[in-house]
Amino acid sequence: MIAEHRISVGGVSTSYCESGAGEPILFLHGSPPFVSGKSSFVRQLNGLSDQFRVIAVDQIGCGGTDYPADYPPDRKYINRLGRVEHVIGFIEALGLKQITLAGNSEGSFVAARVAIVRPDLVSKLVLLTGNSVSPPFGDDRDEAWMRANEQAYDYSRPMPTEEEFITAWRGYGQDVEDAKREAYRLTAARGQYEVAQRLPEEETNFRLYVVLQQKYIIPYLHRLQTKTLIIWSKNDPLVTPDHGLKLAKLIRNSDFHLLNNAGHAIHIDQSEAVNRLIRKWAC
């Protein structure tokens, strides 16, 4: 059963879900809006809880987690680098060490950066279709990657209605649909879509977007000692299998798995296969 909690992390009221008991696995969702720990990882919270203590946190400024009390109201967006210290504080607030840390999309950046700067907290790392940590190629593949991401993260259009948003998740099961509805309603209530519409240029211009991973992730990957599982989708329009393979070559202690019939949310599209890989690898 999924339990919902709140905890103070550096004075920030932080929302998270957990289920099960055993070795802890902390999951980190991607970028806002319409995200929360539960809506991203409900299939892991339910599917891995027989063996692990599964935790999914709403990162700072996302889902049900607050912003810092002194954060300027007109600059509410906190980028992936800005979420790192909050995740470190969350792990410490729960009294955890040497956990398995897993991230999807922008959550993979946060997870990788935490493993880089605080290896005492992370023993295993799981990167799920990590477009935010993917190394560049220096050719036309980079241009295609940028175009796909610019189209996917275009918030210039009006916020979709709840039913328009949910349409994309129908057919996945009631657990996913219910969790996605909760995340949508949080976004609507907290004005998070409007925040996304005011993103700074470094988040919308993907030539600038890659600067953070080139500065804070890629130069450190060859020294990463953390055992790493990389799970990639063959069909993700946002990041190709070639990106995942190149990433795997940069991390010495890594295993790479490519799954078919899945998009960017591979942990939902192929939840049973992802859970099976994590279960076998994390033991």
Side-chain angles (χ1 to χ4, degrees), residues 79-81 108-110 112-113 116 130-139 141-143 145-146 202-203 205-223 243 246-247 250:
N79 69 14
R80 55 205 182 280
L81 183 63
S108 64
F109 178 102
V110 180
R113 185 62 185 170
I116 288 166
N131 57 330
S132 65
V133 294
S134 301
F137 289 98
D139 57 29
R141 287 173 291 185
D142 295 341
E143 296 295 327
W145 176 85
M146 290 179 190
E202 58 265 24
E203 295 297 321
N205 182 336
F206 279 82
R207 295 185 187 280
L208 301 178
Y209 181 90
V210 298
V211 169
L212 288 187
Q213 59 216 59
Q214 290 173 336
K215 182 175 181 180
Y216 293 101
I217 300 295
I218 294 171
Y220 302 95
L221 291 179
H222 72 285
R223 297 187 304 198
H243 285 92
K246 187 169 184 179
L247 178 64
L250 295 177

Side-chain angles (χ1 to χ4, degrees), residues 102-122:
N104 165 245
S105 194
E106 281 199 354
S108 64
F109 178 102
V110 180
R113 185 62 185 170
V114 172
I116 288 166
V117 300
R118 291 296 303 272
D120 57 309
L121 298 180
V122 183

Side-chain angles (χ1 to χ4, degrees), residues 25 27 44 48 51-52 100 102 126 128 229 231 267 272-283:
I25 303 178
F27 286 92
Q44 284 64 52
L48 292 170
Q51 187 172 349
F52 302 97
T100 296
V126 182
L128 303 163
L229 173 65
I231 306 177
H267 50 290
E272 290 186 5
V274 167
N275 290 352
R276 185 166 56 249
L277 286 169
I278 292 174
R279 185 187 300 276
K280 181 179 180 180
W281 175 84
C283 292

Side-chain angles (χ1 to χ4, degrees), residues 30-275:
S31 62
F34 307 125
V35 295
S36 69
K38 182 179 179 181
S39 69
S40 296
F41 298 108
V42 63
R43 288 284 169 86
Q44 284 64 52
L45 286 159
N46 286 326
L48 292 170
S49 59
D50 61 324
Q51 187 172 349
F52 302 97
R53 180 186 177 189
V54 186
I55 307 165
V57 64
D58 295 356
Q59 294 173 64
I60 192 166
C62 303
T65 293
D66 290 345
Y67 295 95
D70 60 350
Y71 204 70
D74 59 339
R75 295 182 60 201
K76 283 189 174 182
Y77 187 75
I78 301 175
N79 69 14
R80 55 205 182 280
L81 183 63
R83 298 178 214 140
V84 170
E85 288 303 317
H86 176 256
V87 169
I88 290 173
F90 176 76
I91 296 170
E92 292 178 330
L94 291 186
L96 302 176
K97 290 183 178 181
Q98 292 297 288
I99 66 169
T100 296
L101 185 59
N104 165 245
S105 194
E106 281 199 354
S108 64
F109 178 102
V110 180
R113 185 62 185 170
V114 172
I116 288 166
V117 300
R118 291 296 303 272
D120 57 309
L121 298 180
V122 183
S123 65
K124 302 182 185 73
L125 183 64
V126 182
L127 304 176
L128 303 163
T129 53
N131 57 330
S132 65
V133 294
S134 301
F137 289 98
D139 57 29
D140 290 345
R141 287 173 291 185
D142 295 341
E143 296 295 327
W145 176 85
M146 290 179 190
R147 288 195 298 271
N149 280 271
E150 286 170 355
Q151 182 176 3
Y153 298 111
D154 178 10
Y155 300 116
S156 62
R157 298 179 292 272
M159 179 175 170
T161 67
E162 182 172 329
E163 291 310 309
E164 287 171 339
F165 173 73
I166 289 298
T167 295
W169 299 104
R170 286 207 170 93
Y172 283 88
Q174 199 63 46
D175 55 343
V176 172
E177 183 175 330
D178 288 348
K180 292 295 182 181
R181 283 189 184 277
E182 289 179 18
Y184 178 93
R185 292 171 184 175
L186 276 171
T187 290
R190 305 187 69 201
Q192 292 171 346
Y193 193 83
E194 290 76 13
V195 172
Q197 291 183 311
R198 301 194 303 269
L199 291 176
E201 186 183 5
E202 58 265 24
E203 295 297 321
T204 59
N205 182 336
F206 279 82
R207 295 185 187 280
L208 301 178
Y209 181 90
V210 298
V211 169
L212 288 187
Q213 59 216 59
Q214 290 173 336
K215 182 175 181 180
Y216 293 101
I217 300 295
I218 294 171
Y220 302 95
L221 291 179
H222 72 285
R223 297 187 304 198
L224 193 63
Q225 298 299 311
T226 308
K227 181 182 176 184
T228 303
L229 173 65
I230 302 173
I231 306 177
W232 225 256
S233 170
K234 186 177 180 180
N235 318 103
D236 185 357
L238 300 184
V239 62
T240 67
D242 284 348
H243 285 92
L245 285 167
K246 187 169 184 179
L247 178 64
K249 291 177 181 177
L250 295 177
I251 304 175
R252 295 175 182 174
N253 191 18
S254 66
D255 295 318
F256 178 82
H257 294 267
L258 184 65
L259 300 181
N260 201 4
N261 300 318
H264 196 52
I266 193 170
H267 50 290
I268 296 177
D269 292 336
Q270 287 283 7
S271 58
E272 290 186 5
V274 167
N275 290 352

